[in-house]
């Protein structure tokens, strides 16, 4: 298809126009939806937290204060653009974009709607073209999301370093250590989903979760979901893992020296990432745009077409997780840094690895025709032996450290 | 289109590689390395090796260079260095010899296999490309069957490196008092 571009530079041929326009339309729509969702998320968070703390929250701009974010954005836009004298100017200017662009890129692979019922496979027909309601469906699918989330570290890390000041640097070193640590647990819980789905493509993962019993949260046995949820919260640097911006210790964290539009970009990226991560959780574990159905019984929204209904389901499911994230923020106190690292390395990574091995062993047993319970019990026993070895090693190292007089 | 992608990606790789060598600031050099790694990832995608491209970005750009930057920032060597000073005087002439040697070997290899440059291969098996996951399946099959020994030995090597680092960097009992003074 792309070769026609060279032969037909004026785009007069009928072959190219529609697909190209559909792709352009999708890009614009995904960008706009992302921005509007982020704007509403900021408002939603402030309003819900205010409710949880017996306050009113934003209520001046627009109905229910819904335009508050827009007002804040305009204010930030007109503020003076400051660059610290001791900063590395090029990297200082580059860093906000390195944080902002990955936040949008992940949104591209999330199925935003479409009809996955029966044999439809999520395909919709627009202007005579079969397509999916997602910007891109690359064969590596979910690995793309992992790659982008590992790139997102650069924005925060370079912002802290290039500010030429010690508190942002401390904040960014913390943030990058945290994100690198939790990425392993994140990847291993995604691996569990990939193992049961048998595909990396996000639309393929959604297509296999046709009814409530097939949702990956149940098929993978709920543990990978919890690990993913915790690791994602740490990856987003949201409370209770928001050590990056621990105000009491670090002034404002990695973005202390930023002002005006550049600060707005960081702020936008943070909330955009929250929305994207919630959508990713829904896609991986809760069937994405699939309706809730038990057996042959499907909860169907009347009148609205099946393809658009998918978008409504996705929205409802994502809203639940956005609410949970806000709830976390309002409820949980911040972790201490060593507790954070202990949780990541000593609990989440071994747990996700062990669970992955258990699922893989069941898979092998299924293929070889072994008894399911025997396989499960044998694997659990082996994992218990491994865990006790790990616990022994941890206790030994703790004793050694106590003897050496290290605090933690 | 294929040529266009190749030229862009190759330019990325070259600009990044030159940047790694010429930038005085270690952080800028590390960022140039990221540019090179991204260019290579694009080249992988252009050759339909999507999985390798993803791994390239996740492992190299997302983990290894991040650790490089981490070390640079923590050690505080992130100032521009004076390149006229050289602690190991033999290093530069040796580097020159090695680089000329490598260039010579590459040129010789290209000249030797000149016929192969214009020969058209059968290319990638397009039937397997219809299945999006065929790429990964083939890769994992060859890693865990034909090359399983090399694969496991490599992982043992990495493990030895980790254990060695821990052993060497660990302070002996009671030694920290003298060191911290």
């Amino acid at each position: 298809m792309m070769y026609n571009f060279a032969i037909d530079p004026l785009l007069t041929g009928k072959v190219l126009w529609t697909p190209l326009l559909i792709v352009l339309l999708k890009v614009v729509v995904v960008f706009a939806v992302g921005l509007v969702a982020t704007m509403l998320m900021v408002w939603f968070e402030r309003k819900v937290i205010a409710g949880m703390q017996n306050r009113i929250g934003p209520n001046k701009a627009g109905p229910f204060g819904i335009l508050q974010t827009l007002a804040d954005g305009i204010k930030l836009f007109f503020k003076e653009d400051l660059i610290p004298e001791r900063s590395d100017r090029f990297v200082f200017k580059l860093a906000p974009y390195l944080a902002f662009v990955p936040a949008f890129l992940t949104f591209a692979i999330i199925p935003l709607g479409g009809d996955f019922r029966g044999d439809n496979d999520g395909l919709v027909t627009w202007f005579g073209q079969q397509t999916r309601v997602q910007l891109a469906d690359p064969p590596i699918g979910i690995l793309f999301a992992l790659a982008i989330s590992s790139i997102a570290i650069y924005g925060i890390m370079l912002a802290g370093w290039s500010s030429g000041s010690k508190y942002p640097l401390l904040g960014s070193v913390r943030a990058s250590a945290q994100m690198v640590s939790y990425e392993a647990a994140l990847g291993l819980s995604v691996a569990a989903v990939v193992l049961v789905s048998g595909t990396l493509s996000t639309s393929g993962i959604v297509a296999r979760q046709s009814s409530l019993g097939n949702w990956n949260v149940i098929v993978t046995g709920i543990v990978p979901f919890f690990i993913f949820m915790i690791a994602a919260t740490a990856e987003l640097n949201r409370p209770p893992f928001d050590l990056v911006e621990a105000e009491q210790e670090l002034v404002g964290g990695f973005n202390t020296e930023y002002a005006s539009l550049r600060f707005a970009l960081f702020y936008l990226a943070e909330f955009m990432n929250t929305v994207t991560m919630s959508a990713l959780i829904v896609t991986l574990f809760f069937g994405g745009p699939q309706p809730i159905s038990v057996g042959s019984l499907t909860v169907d929204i009347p009148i609205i077409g099946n393809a658009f209904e998918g978008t409504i389901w996705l929205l409802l499911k994502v809203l639940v997780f956005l609410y949970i994230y806000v709830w976390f923020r309002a409820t949980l106190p911040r972790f201490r840094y060593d507790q954070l690292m202990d949780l990541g390395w000593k609990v989440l990574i071994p747990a996700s690895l062990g669970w992955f091995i258990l699922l893989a062993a069941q898979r092998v047993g299924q293929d070889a025709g072994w008894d399911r319970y025997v396989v499960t019990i044998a694997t659990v026993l082996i994992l218990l032996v491994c865990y006790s070895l790990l616990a022994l090693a941890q206790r030994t190292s703790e004793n050694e450290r106590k003897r050496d007089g290290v605090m933690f | 289109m294929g040529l266009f992608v190749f030229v862009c990606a190759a330019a990325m790789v070259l600009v990044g590689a030159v940047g790694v060598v010429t930038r005085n600031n270690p952080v800028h050099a590390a960022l140039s390395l990221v540019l090179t790694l991204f260019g290579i990832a694009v080249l992988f995608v252009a050759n339909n090796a999507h999985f390798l491209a993803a791994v390239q970005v996740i492992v190299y750009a997302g983990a290894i260079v991040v650790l490089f930057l981490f070390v640079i920032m923590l050690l505080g060597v992130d100032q521009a260095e004076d390149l006229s000073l050289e602690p190991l005087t033999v290093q530069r002439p040796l580097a020159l010899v090695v680089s000329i040697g490598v260039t010579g070997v590459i040129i010789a290899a290209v000249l030797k296999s000149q016929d192969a440059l214009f020969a058209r291969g059968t290319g990638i098996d397009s039937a397997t490309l219809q299945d999006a996951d065929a790429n990964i399946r083939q890769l994992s099959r060859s890693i865990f069957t034909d090359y399983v020994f090399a694969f496991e030995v490599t992982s043992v090597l990495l493990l030895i490196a980790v254990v060695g680092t821990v052993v060497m960097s660990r302070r002996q009992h009671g030694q920290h008092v003298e060191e911290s003074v």
Side-chain angles (χ1 to χ4, degrees):
Chain A
M1 188 181 81
M2 292 311 281
Y3 276 107
N4 292 359
F5 204 82
I7 307 163
D8 188 16
L10 292 175
L11 302 172
T12 46
K14 282 228 183 294
V15 205
L16 198 62
W17 257 119
T18 357
L20 191 71
L21 274 183
I22 287 178
V23 169
L24 278 178
L25 190 77
K26 276 187 191 172
V27 171
V28 172
V29 167
V30 165
F31 190 73
V33 165
L35 276 181
V36 171
T38 311
M39 199 186 110
L40 291 178
M41 176 60 198
V42 176
W43 168 79
F44 178 74
E45 173 146 358
R46 293 178 68 174
K47 203 72 182 169
V48 171
I49 279 204
M52 287 175 179
Q53 297 170 342
N54 273 337
R55 294 185 287 115
I56 296 171
N59 67 343
K60 297 294 180 215
F64 309 108
I66 204 164
L67 296 178
Q68 184 64 44
T69 321
L70 199 65
D72 287 345
I74 293 169
K75 183 197 121 188
L76 280 172
F77 195 79
F78 284 111
K79 281 186 87 170
E80 189 189 351
D81 191 18
L82 293 169
I83 295 181
E85 205 183 1
R86 293 191 43 166
S87 68
D88 186 310
R89 295 180 78 88
F90 174 69
V91 180
F92 189 81
K93 286 178 185 167
L94 181 73
Y97 299 100
L98 286 182
F100 177 71
V101 171
F104 263 100
L105 281 180
T106 318
F107 216 58
I109 58 152
I110 290 167
L112 296 172
D115 183 16
F116 283 91
R117 291 175 209 186
D119 299 325
N120 282 328
D121 202 29
L123 290 169
V124 289
T125 309
W126 286 346
F127 313 110
Q129 295 282 335
Q130 282 226 316
T131 182
R132 290 186 189 285
V133 194
Q134 83 189 75
L135 181 53
D137 187 21
I140 49 168
I142 197 67
L143 284 184
F144 180 80
L146 286 182
I148 294 301
S149 85
S150 63
I151 290 307
I153 300 174
Y154 280 102
I156 289 176
M157 193 172 206
L158 292 174
W161 173 77
S162 65
S163 298
S165 155
K166 61 186 155 198
Y167 291 118
L169 181 65
L170 282 175
S172 73
V173 166
R174 274 186 183 188
S176 35
Q178 174 181 338
M179 287 164 92
V180 169
S181 313
Y182 277 80
E183 208 151 86
L186 198 75
L188 281 170
S189 48
V190 169
V193 172
V194 171
L195 186 73
V196 297
S197 302
T199 177
L200 286 172
S201 133
T202 41
S203 62
I205 289 173
V206 168
R208 275 168 181 74
Q209 308 178 58
S210 51
S211 73
L212 204 60
N214 284 340
W215 281 7
N216 279 335
V217 63
I218 292 165
V219 177
T220 58
I222 218 162
V223 171
F225 161 65
F226 279 119
I227 292 170
F228 189 91
M229 183 88 189
I230 295 170
T233 316
E235 193 79 4
L236 293 169
N237 296 320
R238 277 185 68 89
F241 304 111
D242 60 337
L243 290 135
V244 186
E245 40 199 87
E247 296 88 355
Q248 301 89 334
E249 305 151 26
L250 291 174
V251 189
F254 68 94
N255 52 14
T256 305
E257 303 289 346
Y258 280 85
S260 108
L261 204 60
R262 297 204 179 96
F263 176 79
L265 284 180
F266 277 120
Y267 197 70
L268 209 63
E270 197 185 320
F271 280 88
M272 180 86 208
N273 274 326
T274 312
V275 176
T276 326
M277 209 44 116
S278 305
L280 212 56
I281 290 175
V282 169
T283 306
L284 285 175
F285 294 100
F286 290 88
Q290 298 260 30
I292 295 171
S293 64
V294 184
S296 58
L297 196 75
T298 303
V299 184
D300 189 75
I301 303 172
I303 307 165
I304 303 163
N306 278 356
F308 189 65
E309 207 185 307
T311 311
I312 295 174
W313 280 116
L314 183 82
L315 195 69
L316 288 177
K317 291 174 187 173
V318 168
L319 266 179
V320 171
F321 284 97
L322 291 179
Y323 186 81
I324 290 175
Y325 274 127
V326 178
W327 202 358
F328 277 175
R329 183 176 210 137
T331 323
L332 297 171
R334 185 180 294 136
F335 269 58
R336 216 170 55 207
Y337 193 67
D338 60 311
Q339 291 172 333
L340 172 93
M341 284 297 163
D342 276 0
L343 179 70
W345 288 100
K346 294 180 188 165
V347 179
L348 289 186
I349 293 179
S352 53
L353 194 62
W355 200 264
F356 179 72
I357 290 171
L358 186 66
L359 288 176
Q362 283 189 340
R363 234 352 179 9
V364 172
Q366 209 177 9
D367 288 350
W370 298 332
D371 188 60
R372 197 177 166 178
Y373 296 102
V374 175
V375 170
T376 311
I377 290 167
T379 319
V380 168
L381 284 179
I382 292 170
L383 288 177
L384 275 179
V385 171
C386 294
Y387 180 74
S388 46
L389 278 176
L390 188 71
L392 198 69
Q394 279 179 16
R395 198 182 308 155
T396 314
S397 87
E398 206 172 301
N399 287 341
E400 295 244 312
R401 275 197 256 170
K402 264 194 198 131
R403 212 175 54 202
D404 285 1
V406 184
M407 288 302 280
F408 52 81
Chain B
M1 194 66 197
L3 185 70
F4 178 71
V5 171
F6 174 76
V7 169
C8 288
M12 269 168 83
V13 172
L14 286 178
V15 168
V18 170
V20 174
V21 182
T22 54
R23 300 306 290 262
N24 286 335
N25 191 322
V27 173
H28 291 178
L31 287 181
S32 306
L33 186 59
V34 176
L35 189 67
T36 304
L37 294 172
F38 263 99
I40 295 171
V42 172
L43 287 176
F44 276 140
V45 171
N47 286 307
N48 270 318
H50 298 277
F51 182 73
L52 278 184
V55 169
Q56 172 90 7
V57 173
I58 294 174
V59 174
Y60 284 93
I64 290 183
V65 180
V66 167
L67 290 182
F68 283 0
L69 281 174
F70 212 75
V71 172
I72 291 170
M73 288 175 187
L74 281 183
L75 292 184
V77 289
D78 51 346
Q79 266 76 47
E81 261 185 77
D82 185 6
L83 289 178
S84 59
L85 290 173
E86 183 63 72
L88 288 170
T89 39
V90 73
Q91 203 170 327
R92 285 193 191 184
L94 214 62
L96 197 69
V97 170
V98 169
S99 60
I100 289 173
V102 169
T103 318
V105 167
I106 291 174
I107 290 174
V110 169
L111 288 179
K112 182 92 174 152
S113 58
Q114 218 169 9
D115 319 335
L117 279 182
F118 302 102
R120 284 264 167 210
T122 48
I124 300 164
D125 184 4
S126 57
T128 58
L129 276 183
Q130 300 298 321
D131 179 9
D133 296 313
N135 203 316
I136 301 154
R137 221 166 278 145
Q138 285 175 358
L139 202 68
S140 51
R141 193 151 288 157
S142 61
I143 282 183
F144 288 106
T145 56
D146 295 347
Y147 303 105
V148 68
F149 184 69
F151 178 74
E152 295 295 343
V153 166
T154 313
S155 56
V156 169
L157 187 71
L158 289 175
L159 189 67
I160 290 171
V162 171
V163 172
T165 316
V166 171
V167 169
M168 284 168 77
S169 62
R170 233 187 98 78
R171 291 184 209 143
Q172 288 299 311
H173 176 56
Q175 201 182 326
H176 66 281
V177 185
E178 290 92 52
E179 271 182 14
S180 60
V181 172

